């Protein structure tokens, strides 16, 4: 405390404290069983030293680890008999917990070089996407897998849109950013692509891109995560298709490795239709509404969760619905019923 006398100026020290973000890691194996006693280390992008470390409990979970929420960090997960997992940069929010589900592979399960599209996530909430829609951003999560050993000139490439769309302007889907670990030494965004060389850069850009290529000059065996943000442009085509292509290559001693051996791996998704999702519910429901006479709502309007639709009083409306069976074990169901409850009907 200091006295404040009329006409006098005093100096008071002010200490600003940055809020914390929290990170929790859940580790399972390829059989979805918890991996206990896995060593999880957290690193700062700007400093190679370990920020903090912990181990997973019997449920395969770490405690909530706290860091200044603006700090750019990543983590690794290791356990004897398993391939080391290296995450991409962790995005934290103040006073909230970011949870990450990691699947460890046994070293015997990784052969040579491989790249997989692990998941497609909603950008706004990080949840697995159940369908792709126009005028919306998503995050593609990839794993680059390397068998035990030492590798040089490790490249991965992601390309969006149809092959007939030669550049970002004509492509329905564009790339906006990529998120990696600091082990990546080069990132190049391209406006177009080369039909002669899948890993060649083509007119580097800083805005929307058709293709992105990343490189690590040197990596050891393990699993390396990276993510890309994509944007699907507005379109009036009801049968529009979003496509992604991806691949990787590396050198192991005198041996050149590539996945796939020719071209790139491909995923295609029809907009507004259910997509493969390992963590989504078995059933998905689509609802639309229109007035029976087609006077006020001439075309059916989709009823989304939390969406508000103004209706005219004393008009009969028809609600149509479609139930998608996404059962992961191939089961079929009969006598499926839906119950509707009236709320605020006054």
């Amino acid at each position: 405390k200091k006295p404040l006398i009329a006409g006098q100026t005093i100096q008071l020290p002010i200490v600003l404290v940055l809020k914390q973000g929290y990170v929790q890691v859940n580790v399972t194996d390829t059989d979805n069983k918890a991996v206990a006693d896995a060593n999880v280390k957290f690193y700062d992008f700007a400093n190679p030293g370990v920020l903090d470390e912990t181990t997973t409990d019997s449920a395969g979970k770490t405690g909530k680890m706290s860091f200044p929420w603006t700090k750019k960090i990543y983590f690794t997960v290791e356990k004897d008999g398993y391939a080391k997992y290296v995450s991409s940069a962790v995005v934290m929010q103040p006073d909230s917990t970011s949870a990450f589900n990691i699947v460890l592979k046994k070293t015997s399960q990784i052969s040579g070089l491989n790249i997989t599209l692990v998941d497609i996530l909603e950008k706004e909430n990080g949840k697995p996407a159940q369908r792709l829609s126009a005028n919306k951003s998503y995050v593609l999560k990839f794993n680059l897998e390397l068998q035990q050993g030492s590798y040089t000139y490790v490249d991965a490439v992601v390309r969006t849109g149809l092959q007939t769309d030669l550049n970002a302007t004509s492509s329905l889907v564009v790339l906006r950013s990529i998120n990696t670990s600091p082990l990546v030494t080069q990132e190049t965004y391209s406006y177009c692509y080369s039909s002669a060389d899948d890993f060649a850069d083509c007119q580097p850009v800083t805005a929307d891109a058709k293709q992105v290529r990343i490189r690590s000059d040197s990596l050891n065996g393990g699993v390396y995560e990276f993510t890309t943000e994509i944007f699907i442009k507005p379109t009036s085509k009801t049968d529009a298709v979003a496509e992604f292509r991806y691949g990787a290559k590396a050198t192991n001693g005198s041996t050149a490795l590539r996945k796939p051996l020719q071209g790139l791996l491909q995923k295609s998704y029809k907009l507004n239709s259910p997509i493969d999702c390992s963590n989504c519910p078995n059933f998905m429901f689509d609802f639309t509404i229109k007035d029976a006479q087609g006077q006020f709502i001439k075309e059916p309007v989709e009823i989304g969760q939390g969406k508000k639709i103004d209706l005219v009083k004393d008009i009969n409306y028809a609600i149509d619905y479609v139930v998608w069976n996404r059962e992961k074990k191939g089961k079929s169901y009969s006598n499926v019923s839906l119950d509707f409850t009236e709320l605020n009907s006054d």
Side-chain angles (χ1 to χ4, degrees):
K1 295 181 179 180
K2 291 185 178 181
L4 180 60
I5 302 172
Q8 182 185 36
T9 300
I10 63 172
Q11 291 184 341
L12 298 174
I14 298 176
V15 179
L16 297 179
V17 179
L18 193 63
K19 288 187 174 182
Q20 297 288 296
Y22 300 89
V23 178
Q24 186 172 40
V25 181
N26 176 38
V27 184
T28 58
D29 61 16
T30 52
D31 293 324
N32 201 32
K33 295 179 180 179
V35 177
D37 301 318
N39 189 23
V40 183
K41 295 182 179 180
F42 297 87
Y43 297 86
D44 189 339
F45 262 65
N47 189 330
V50 177
L51 283 174
D52 207 345
E53 63 181 301
T54 185
T55 56
T56 55
D57 59 19
S58 60
K61 298 179 181 293
T62 67
K64 294 182 180 180
M65 311 297 290
S66 65
F67 305 94
W69 77 275
T70 57
K71 186 178 287 292
K72 189 175 183 181
I73 67 171
Y74 71 104
F75 62 85
T76 63
V77 184
E78 294 181 88
K79 185 174 181 177
D80 289 344
Y82 292 87
K84 180 179 180 179
Y85 190 99
V86 181
S87 80
S88 55
V90 171
V91 177
M92 294 182 287
Q93 298 297 329
D95 296 331
S96 65
T97 301
S98 300
F100 297 89
N101 297 317
I102 303 303
V103 177
L104 282 189
K105 281 191 170 184
K106 293 182 179 179
T107 53
S108 59
Q109 293 177 304
I110 297 178
S111 175
L113 165 72
N114 195 25
I115 183 171
T116 57
L117 174 59
V118 179
D119 221 336
I120 303 177
L121 308 173
E122 302 273 357
K123 183 192 174 185
E124 60 268 23
N125 56 29
K127 295 181 179 180
Q130 299 192 40
R131 72 185 78 207
L132 301 183
S133 302
N135 197 28
K136 194 170 180 180
S137 294
Y138 298 90
V139 173
L140 309 182
K141 180 181 176 181
F142 294 91
N143 278 351
L144 177 65
E145 302 174 0
L146 296 169
Q147 186 178 347
Q148 285 182 304
S150 298
Y151 301 82
T152 56
Y153 305 116
V154 182
D155 284 5
V157 65
V158 179
R159 185 183 303 158
T160 54
L162 305 177
Q163 289 287 74
T164 52
D165 298 330
L166 301 181
N167 54 53
T169 300
S170 59
S171 180
L172 175 65
V173 189
V174 292
L175 285 153
R176 292 203 157 162
S177 66
I178 191 164
N179 180 14
T180 65
S181 77
L183 300 177
V184 169
T185 54
Q186 187 180 107
E187 299 175 2
T188 305
Y189 297 87
S190 293
Y191 174 71
C192 49
Y193 72 94
S194 169
S195 58
D197 183 353
D198 290 312
F199 293 87
D201 302 326
C202 178
Q203 298 183 33
V205 291
T206 56
D208 291 352
K210 172 75 177 179
Q211 175 178 290
V212 64
R213 179 185 61 83
I214 59 175
R215 165 170 289 185
S216 294
D217 292 332
S218 177
L219 288 178
N220 293 321
V223 178
Y224 298 86
E225 172 192 298
F226 70 94
T227 64
T228 60
E229 179 191 341
I230 59 140
F231 177 70
I232 303 177
K233 300 175 184 177
T235 179
S236 58
K237 295 181 179 180
T238 57
D239 59 347
V241 173
E243 282 191 357
F244 320 119
R245 288 173 171 81
Y246 52 96
K249 68 176 184 176
T251 301
N252 177 224
S254 59
T255 304
L257 304 173
R258 175 169 172 160
K259 183 70 175 186
L261 295 177
Q262 291 183 336
L264 297 174
L265 300 171
Q266 177 184 336
K267 294 285 187 179
S268 298
Y269 303 95
K270 185 177 179 181
L271 296 192
N272 304 312
S273 295
I275 64 176
D276 292 338
C277 173
S278 60
N279 297 313
C280 293
N282 284 346
F283 294 100
M284 192 165 77
F285 304 90
D286 285 346
F287 295 91
T288 59
I289 188 171
K290 68 184 293 293
D291 64 283
Q293 302 300 319
Q295 180 179 357
F296 299 97
I297 305 177
K298 299 184 182 300
E299 297 294 333
V301 174
E302 181 182 345
I303 306 174
Q305 184 175 3
K307 182 178 181 180
K308 180 180 178 181
I309 300 176
D310 293 325
L311 302 178
V312 179
K313 188 177 180 180
D314 297 328
I315 298 295
N316 292 324
Y317 294 89
I319 296 178
D320 290 328
Y321 61 88
V322 175
V323 182
W324 303 89
N325 177 9
R326 296 155 51 87
E327 168 59 54
K328 301 167 190 64
K329 295 183 179 180
K331 295 180 181 178
S332 298
Y333 297 87
S334 60
N335 300 322
V336 177
S337 63
L338 289 176
D339 294 325
F340 294 88
T341 303
E342 236 179 355
L343 296 174
N344 301 322
S345 57
D346 54 342

